[in-house]
């Protein structure tokens, strides 16, 4: 996650809300995550009422067998409470389709865990928004991938946009901290400015642009990903809009996810345009640490399988409902896990040559899918050789 607003000298709105509990409550979550207190992405169900073209879980509207029971989920949350994880991000599938969703949120909150919800938004009725407010959810991210016609095409359901937008508004009206999640690709890149403007117009406090990761159905969309010159222009646009909104004193936070080169690009931008902010930006980038797969982030599948991140389904570390979390997570016999934790010494190609590899590291899943080698260079790094030397 690259926080444009904070790196460019603004206030980091929602990020300051999503903080860890206990003695670390004054530390923003991306700083407080570490190998002993990872951020947990919990895909509580694979079931979803949509069939999105880029879904890494390849979800659909069916009842899947083998998903964890409420009692097993409680035991897992107990573990998270004991190790004091900073954030529990509930995802799917569509997490609001889980019959125990509100009990899960409430139970985690009672363990002093910050809870976020990653949703398509279509099920957030006024009553659901009220219940989310009652259980004190910390953040709700709603996916909007373009204006009405295009969003519905990507989500494979007519009316998906209207339902998602209504869900966003219902959440805002109930006082939920909400944001838009935008997955960029060739067919929707031209609509990015409109969706960001929608955030401003509707006073939605957070806009998060996701770079495509080649996992699940996303594997078939590699050719639909934007090219690196377009990626560079897109980041230029986001920098410009972030600074404009800062100057207008608009209370909106802009971030990108799944391409840590964005942070390095901002650092290089500040070297030319705001040297006073350059040093602080580099400190923040170092604290963030780049790709967190297997280090600061762990994913739990609906069946309890642990992975290095939400996209790494072809390498299971263990099952948290059957094995000890610590033994799985600190397993020194898992070569891939160990390599992820020392990847700066083993990265290849452009990533291996980069002087920022200790706090960027590229996306290991994109490298794996492109080159069949997760230590190879990230094909979506748009930085020039001069910029990485």
């Amino acid at each position: 996650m690259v926080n444009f607003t904070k790196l460019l000298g603004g206030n980091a709105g929602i990020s300051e809300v999503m903080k860890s509990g206990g003695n670390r409550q004054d530390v923003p979550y991306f700083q407080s995550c570490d190998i002993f207190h990872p951020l947990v992405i919990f895909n509580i169900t694979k079931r979803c009422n949509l069939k999105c073209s880029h879904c890494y879980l390849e979800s659909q509207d069916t009842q899947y067998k083998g998903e964890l029971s409420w009692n097993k989920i409680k035991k897992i949350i107990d573990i998270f409470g004991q190790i004091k994880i900073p954030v529990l991000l509930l995802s799917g599938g569509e997490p609001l389709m889980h019959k125990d969703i509100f009990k899960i949120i409430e139970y985690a909150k009672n363990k002093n865990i910050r809870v976020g919800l990653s949703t398509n938004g279509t099920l957030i009725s006024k009553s659901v928004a009220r219940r989310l407010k009652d259980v004190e959810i910390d953040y709700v991210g709603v996916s909007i991938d373009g204006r009405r016609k295009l969003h519905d095409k990507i989500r494979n359901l007519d009316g998906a946009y209207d339902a998602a937008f209504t869900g966003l508004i219902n959440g805002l009206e109930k006082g939920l901290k909400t944001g838009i999640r935008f997955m960029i690709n060739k067919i929707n890149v031209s609509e990015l400015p409109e969706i960001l403007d929608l955030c401003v117009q509707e006073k939605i406090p957070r806009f998060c642009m996701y770079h495509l990761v080649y996992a699940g159905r996303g594997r078939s969309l590699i050719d639909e990903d934007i090219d690196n010159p377009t990626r560079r222009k897109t980041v230029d646009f986001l920098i410009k809009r972030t600074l404009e909104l800062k100057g207008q004193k608009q209370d909106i936070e802009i971030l990108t996810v799944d391409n840590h080169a964005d942070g390095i690009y901002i650092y290089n931008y500040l070297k030319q345009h705001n040297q006073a902010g350059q040093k602080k930006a580099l400190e923040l980038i170092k604290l963030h640490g780049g790709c967190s797969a297997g280090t600061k982030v762990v994913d739990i599948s609906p069946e309890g399988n642990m992975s290095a991140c939400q996209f790494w389904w072809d390498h299971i570390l263990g099952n948290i409902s059957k094995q000890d979390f610590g033994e799985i997570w600190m397993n020194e016999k898992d070569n891939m896990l160990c390599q992820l934790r020392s990847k700066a010494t083993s990265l290849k190609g452009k990533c291996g040559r980069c002087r920022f590899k200790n706090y960027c590291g590229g996306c290991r899943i994109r490298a794996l899918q492109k080159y069949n080698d997760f230590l190879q260079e990230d094909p979506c790094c748009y930085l020039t050789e001069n910029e990485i030397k």
Side-chain angles (χ1 to χ4, degrees):
M1 180 178 291
V2 177
N3 193 318
F4 279 52
T5 302
K6 193 159 189 175
L7 288 174
L8 291 166
N11 296 319
I14 298 294
S15 288
E16 297 304 322
V17 175
M18 295 289 285
K19 297 174 184 177
S20 62
N23 295 328
R24 303 156 84 236
Q25 62 185 356
D26 295 325
V27 184
Y29 77 89
F30 70 84
Q31 295 178 26
S32 64
C33 298
D34 56 43
I35 194 169
F36 301 109
H37 313 89
L39 182 151
V40 177
I41 302 167
F42 196 168
N43 300 91
I44 57 174
T45 183
K46 190 174 178 180
R47 187 175 185 179
C48 185
N49 58 325
L50 303 182
K51 194 176 179 181
C52 307
S53 59
H54 55 263
C55 178
Y56 61 81
L57 261 186
E58 302 185 69
S59 297
Q60 53 187 326
D61 194 357
T62 188
Q63 193 67 51
Y64 292 91
K65 294 181 180 180
E67 296 190 352
L68 296 169
S69 67
W70 164 236
N71 285 332
K72 288 185 177 180
I73 290 174
K74 280 200 301 182
K75 291 178 181 178
I76 291 170
I77 294 174
D78 287 339
I79 295 169
F80 296 156
Q82 290 166 9
I83 64 175
K84 294 182 171 58
I85 65 166
V87 176
L88 175 63
L89 179 60
L90 299 176
S91 187
E94 173 47 56
L96 288 173
M97 295 192 78
H98 195 291
K99 63 184 180 65
D100 295 316
I101 181 62
F102 300 107
K103 289 198 300 186
I104 293 170
I105 297 169
E106 189 170 35
Y107 193 78
K109 292 293 296 181
N110 286 336
K111 298 292 180 179
N112 295 316
I113 298 172
R114 299 276 176 169
V115 183
L117 189 71
S118 179
T119 172
N120 63 44
T122 61
L123 303 179
I124 307 178
S125 62
K126 290 183 182 297
S127 61
V128 167
R130 187 183 308 113
R131 292 194 69 185
L132 288 171
K133 182 68 174 178
D134 289 343
V135 295
E136 299 181 342
I137 191 80
D138 290 285
Y139 175 70
V140 178
V142 176
S143 296
I144 300 283
D145 291 320
R147 299 311 300 249
R148 182 177 289 105
K149 183 178 180 180
L150 186 52
H151 178 86
D152 288 357
K153 178 182 179 181
I154 292 171
R155 300 284 161 176
N156 285 297
L157 182 70
D158 290 341
Y161 175 88
D162 289 334
F165 183 70
T166 298
L168 260 174
I169 299 304
N170 288 340
L172 285 171
E173 289 178 348
K174 294 301 177 184
L176 298 177
K177 294 178 175 63
T178 61
I180 284 180
R181 305 164 72 245
F182 180 92
M183 176 68 75
I184 194 166
N185 53 59
K186 281 181 181 177
I187 65 172
N188 71 357
V189 61
S190 64
E191 297 192 2
L192 168 65
E194 293 181 75
I195 302 304
L196 183 49
D197 287 343
L198 180 67
C199 268
V200 177
Q201 293 162 13
E202 300 296 335
K203 300 189 184 304
I204 298 166
R206 189 186 226 199
F207 176 81
C208 198
M209 188 194 83
Y210 284 69
H211 294 269
L212 183 65
V213 178
Y214 311 147
R217 291 192 196 113
R219 288 192 181 104
S220 65
L221 295 179
I222 293 179
D223 291 338
E224 297 300 320
D225 197 6
I226 57 175
D227 59 27
N228 284 338
T230 303
R231 205 179 304 278
R232 195 177 181 98
K233 290 177 183 177
T234 300
V235 173
D236 281 334
F237 165 76
L238 290 177
I239 290 174
K240 179 182 176 183
R241 289 294 282 133
T242 300
L243 293 172
E244 287 174 350
L245 292 168
K246 177 188 172 186
Q248 297 164 7
K249 300 189 184 302
Q250 295 278 356
D251 190 17
I252 180 173
E253 183 180 27
I254 296 177
L255 309 95
T256 62
V257 176
D258 296 325
N259 198 327
H260 303 286
D262 293 351
I264 308 305
Y265 190 81
I266 291 174
Y267 167 73
N268 285 329
Y269 170 88
L270 290 171
K271 283 175 67 175
Q272 298 180 38
H273 298 91
N274 180 5
Q275 292 188 1
Q278 169 195 346
K279 183 177 180 181
K280 180 64 175 176
L282 188 59
E283 289 174 357
L284 291 171
I285 291 167
K286 288 180 178 180
L287 278 172
H288 179 42
C291 178
S292 299
T295 55
K296 297 181 181 181
V297 170
V298 62
D299 184 84
I300 310 294
S301 80
E303 302 81 20
N305 292 326
M306 285 175 54
S307 302
C309 75
Q310 69 270 38
F311 305 111
W312 220 306
W313 294 100
D314 59 349
H315 185 95
I316 303 303
L317 303 175
N319 188 290
I320 192 173
S321 69
K322 301 174 183 177
Q323 301 164 259
D324 178 77
F325 175 86
E327 289 181 2
I328 300 171
W329 187 235
M330 304 306 291
N331 182 10
E332 294 183 355
K333 294 181 180 180
D334 190 302
N335 290 331
M336 190 208 75
L337 194 59
C338 292
Q339 285 180 300
L340 284 174
R341 291 172 180 172
S342 60
K343 60 182 176 290
T345 62
S346 305
L347 289 173
K348 304 173 184 177
K350 188 176 180 181
C351 287
R353 297 192 298 274
C354 182
R355 72 184 179 100
F356 300 106
K357 60 186 176 183
N358 284 304
Y359 28 96
C360 175
C363 175
R364 299 300 94 219
I365 286 292
R366 283 196 293 261
L368 180 63
Q369 294 304 321
K370 180 73 174 180
Y371 305 108
N372 198 33
D373 181 354
F374 72 88
L375 292 171
Q376 258 297 349
E377 65 187 34
D378 183 348
C380 294
C381 177
Y382 52 90
L383 301 174
T384 67
E385 289 293 330
N386 284 336
E387 287 170 332
I388 68 172
K389 288 180 179 178

